Amino acid sequence: MGKQIRKDPRGAKKTEVQRKRRDTVLLLLSAAFLIGGAAGGLLASRLSPALYLSSFWDTAAQGVIQPSLWRELWVVFRWPMAAAALVLLPLAGVTLPVLFFLRGLFLAYGAAALLGGFTGSEILCAALVLGPGGLLTVPALFLLGTAGLLRRSQGSWGSGIRPLLLALPALALCVVLDQMVVPKLLTVLLKGFSAAGG
């Protein structure tokens, strides 16, 4: 008969404790993000950004929607950089959930403002504008925030480099998409919609 593998009860218990700690941190940050999202949706329904949006669509229809590279870098990297910085502060357990609340609030406000009361073509354009940022930067923010809080509780610096290295390609891809792909697609869509409408 082959050797029987002994299970280490201490190792299993440690893994279970780490899993529970990770789930608790993720639940805390997710709740803060979702509460912020709900608040952002309510805020957009109370404060109508119609003037801002009409100027945005007019500018977009003229094909002048290419943001500068420095502005785009700021837009993409500001939330993850804030998460990485807040982890180093003594009250990271309080300030990081506040950051996630604010990110959810601003993202939901922008989405609700762009999607509110529009036609199918405008909703498609709004999804294109918000898509890369939402699909790539929000998971990177969650990765950095969760890993940072866990790293603080474990007192391990080395484990914080891996999440940062995993988040950087996604954030860089978001910048590339927003600089090279989204403006061209949006210009083509808007010209197509205006040609079909006119």
Side-chain angles (χ1 to χ4, degrees), residues 51-62:
L51 181 62
Y52 168 76
L53 290 175
S54 64
S55 69
F56 171 79
W57 291 121
D58 291 342
T59 304
Q62 296 169 5

Side-chain angles (χ1 to χ4, degrees), residues 49-110:
L51 181 62
Y52 168 76
L53 290 175
S54 64
S55 69
F56 171 79
W57 291 121
D58 291 342
T59 304
Q62 296 169 5
V64 191
I65 48 175
Q66 178 83 29
S68 72
L69 177 62
W70 294 113
R71 184 183 181 288
E72 189 63 35
L73 288 170
W74 169 249
V75 167
V76 170
F77 280 90
R78 63 185 167 182
W79 296 103
M81 285 186 335
L86 289 175
V87 165
L88 303 174
L89 299 177
L91 294 175
V94 175
T95 56
L96 264 178
V98 170
L99 178 76
F100 275 71
F101 172 84
L102 292 173
R103 180 60 177 134
L105 181 124
F106 291 130
L107 185 62
Y109 178 79

